[in-house]
Amino acid sequence: MRNFDYVTPTRLIFGEGVISELPAVMKPFGKRVLLTYGGGSIKRMGLYDKVKELLADFEIYELSGIQPNPKYDPSVLEGVKICKEQKIDVILAVGGGSVLDCSKAIAAGAKYEGEPWDLISGQVLAQDALPMVDILTLAATGSEYDCGGVISRTETNDKIGYMDPHLFPQASILDPTYTFTVPKKQTAAGCADAINHIMEQYFCEESSLLNDGMMEAAFKSLMVNGRKCIENPEDYTARAEMMLDCTLACNGIFSLGNSRSLWPCHGLEHALSAYYDITHGEGLAIITPRWMKHILNDHTVDRLAKYGVNVFGLDAAQDRYDIANQAIQATYDFFASLGIPMHLREVGIDDSRIDEMAHHVAELEGLDEAWAPLQEADIAAIFRASL
Ligand code: NZQ
Ligand code: ZN
């Protein structure tokens, strides 16, 4: 087991009705609040009115219209401008991962004198950030419990994921009933995203029995509960368990002491959603089985077979390549059974920019020193196999 230094300072407030704690949670940070949200789902579900009612004693400014795959320009830049001009004390992000990620970038940019992209691109390390609280409405990314954010810059086709310890939310309000209205497409994509977060940690050089056990349980929980959420969107128990799965899947707790993973499928997917603005979880579901197939070799086969035996209950007495191939097919079949389009062409991507994207990923992500190294030609091959 490798050395590690781990802290997650975010307070999780979980369960039906916990929104009542919002005023007390916000109070220590100050009165001037920037409320950030997306395209209107929080208004349709009545959450916007509830927040305004609970925060009647606060001074609220708003940034709305944050899009999926949140954009640097205008959303991050506009948010930073409001924070600086209105001397905002705290950001309250209400929505899915895109709203939370955008709010994190705003929180850092608000305390920085230069161009906020310096922080997102990692050229400059943030020294400070505004505090951020969130109310999550979509179980998927884990942004509510990590210090990462992913921001897109349209003009350069960049979609950059970055981490900064200043960006852990102060508190995350997690009420599973707020996810009842998440459409089937986003529920499926969220399930695939969280499953892939676990895979990115599971498929590595060195892990422990403890970590493997936690991850295998989380895979199974997501597969069972993701399906239940799609079949019955108001199944509280399933929505609650899926929400907790997603929260834990991305903050590193499942891979303490493991060897480092470079999160290859995320590197590839970020190019797809940067170039074509597709839904992150769908892109991952399409790429993942093709990535598994591409990297299957004598070095990786035992790990893939272990996943097949412990997650899908495959017969361990079979040939290890047979088990691995069945596990890859079972992964594909599971995503397909959630209704996810399983080919890039179905989400509007053809082969015209594959080489350009592969080059971009190879340069930006540097995936050639991983458990399963990927050169530019490998990345292009995985994209082509996903068409
Ligand atoms: O914009 P609104 O109207 O709110 O609608 C959203 C959006 O259209 C809708 N939605 C959210 N909650 C809803 C709802 N609709 C009905 N009822 C509700 N309760 O869902 C749509 C998608 O929302 P979005 O926030 O984009 O989805 P998600 O949470 O999957 O976030 C995806 C983004 O997070 C990044 C992805 O790359 C992508 O940009 N990621 C962030 C990570 C992190 N911070 O650690 C890790 C992930 O790997 C991921 O890369
Ligand atoms: Zn993801």
Side-chain angles (χ1 to χ4, degrees):
M1 189 175 283
R2 317 271 167 112
N3 295 1
F4 62 84
D5 180 342
Y6 177 81
V7 64
T8 300
T10 302
R11 178 178 167 198
L12 298 180
I13 307 169
F14 189 99
E16 184 166 9
V18 293
I19 186 94
S20 60
E21 296 187 36
L22 183 65
V25 169
M26 297 290 287
K27 204 172 166 199
F29 303 114
K31 288 256 168 195
R32 298 170 77 82
V33 178
L34 176 64
L35 170 63
T36 55
Y37 55 98
S41 68
I42 69 159
K43 290 193 169 165
R44 289 191 291 280
M45 64 201 273
L47 182 53
Y48 174 86
D49 289 340
K50 185 74 189 169
V51 167
K52 294 289 285 256
E53 179 197 317
L54 286 167
L55 298 187
D57 292 340
F58 290 71
E59 212 172 315
I60 306 221
Y61 298 83
E62 292 188 21
L63 175 74
S64 61
I66 297 172
Q67 296 169 7
N69 301 321
K71 311 297 180 282
Y72 179 65
D73 187 3
S75 295
V76 175
L77 292 177
E78 270 183 22
V80 169
K81 190 162 173 273
I82 299 172
C83 288
K84 288 185 173 174
E85 285 178 1
Q86 304 301 336
K87 302 197 171 7
I88 294 293
D89 297 317
V90 52
I91 299 176
L92 175 60
V94 187
S98 294
V99 173
L100 271 59
D101 284 4
C102 185
S103 303
K104 289 175 177 177
I106 295 169
K111 291 281 189 176
Y112 177 64
E113 285 315 312
E115 169 86 12
W117 190 255
D118 298 346
L119 306 169
I120 296 164
S121 61
Q123 291 163 44
V124 174
L125 284 181
Q127 299 301 314
D128 198 4
L130 283 177
M132 185 196 109
V133 171
D134 65 81
I135 303 171
L136 187 71
T137 64
L138 197 168
T141 64
S143 187
E144 67 277 14
Y145 204 40
D146 71 25
C147 63
V150 189
I151 301 296
S152 296
R153 196 164 187 176
T154 315
E155 70 272 23
T156 52
N157 290 315
D158 281 318
K159 182 173 180 187
I160 295 195
Y162 73 112
M163 317 263 291
D164 181 326
H166 295 93
L167 300 185
F168 280 107
Q170 299 291 326
S172 292
I173 292 185
L174 305 173
D175 182 336
T177 65
Y178 295 152
T179 66
F180 284 178
T181 53
V182 176
K184 282 187 168 50
K185 172 189 163 84
Q186 294 295 343
T187 303
C191 181
D193 187 19
I195 284 175
N196 193 267
H197 293 164
I198 305 169
M199 289 186 173
E200 302 279 37
Q201 298 166 83
Y202 189 88
F203 293 115
C204 68
E205 204 67 49
E206 187 187 320
S207 184
S208 62
L209 273 180
L210 173 66
N211 290 343
D212 285 356
M214 288 195 290
M215 290 192 270
E216 287 155 4
F219 279 131
K220 288 192 262 195
S221 169
L222 278 160
M223 288 177 188
V224 169
N225 290 296
R227 187 185 305 287
K228 284 188 182 171
C229 292
I230 285 171
E231 284 166 4
N232 177 9
E234 301 202 3
D235 179 337
Y236 180 84
T237 308
R239 287 288 194 187
E241 192 166 330
M242 179 171 164
M243 192 174 225
L244 189 54
D245 290 329
C246 293
T247 297
L248 295 177
C250 200
N251 91 330
I253 199 162
F254 288 157
S255 52
L256 296 176
N258 280 12
S259 57
R260 191 162 162 254
S261 160
L262 297 181
W263 289 55
C265 292
H266 273 69
L268 270 64
E269 197 296 315
H270 284 165
L272 299 179
S273 42
Y275 278 70
Y276 293 94
D277 217 352
I278 65 166
T279 299
H280 173 64
E282 291 186 346
L284 286 172
I286 296 170
I287 284 173
T288 304
R290 279 71 182 218
W291 169 79
M292 292 166 125
K293 195 115 206 148
H294 189 87
I295 56 107
L296 177 58
N297 57 35
D298 286 350
H299 181 60
T300 61
V301 63
D302 287 334
R303 200 91 189 118
L304 283 155
K306 181 172 188 188
Y307 161 76
V309 170
N310 291 349
V311 176
F312 293 106
L314 300 175
D315 179 1
Q318 298 175 87
D319 171 76
R320 55 192 188 142
Y321 274 91
D322 286 345
I323 304 173
N325 278 310
Q326 288 166 47
I328 295 168
Q329 188 61 46
T331 305
Y332 180 100
D333 292 345
F334 173 72
F335 291 145
S337 77
L338 297 184
I340 296 177
M342 289 303 290
H343 294 271
L344 291 180
R345 289 190 197 282
E346 293 175 69
V347 295
I349 301 177
D350 61 18
D351 64 358
S352 59
R353 303 187 78 180
I354 280 183
D355 292 324
E356 185 188 343
M357 287 193 295
H359 183 69
H360 197 82
V361 175
E363 295 271 296
L364 195 70
E365 308 281 342
L367 299 173
D368 51 348
E369 286 180 22
W371 170 69
L374 298 179
Q375 311 294 338
E376 189 174 322
D378 298 300
I379 298 167
I382 294 168
F383 282 147
R384 289 213 160 81
S386 306
L387 282 170

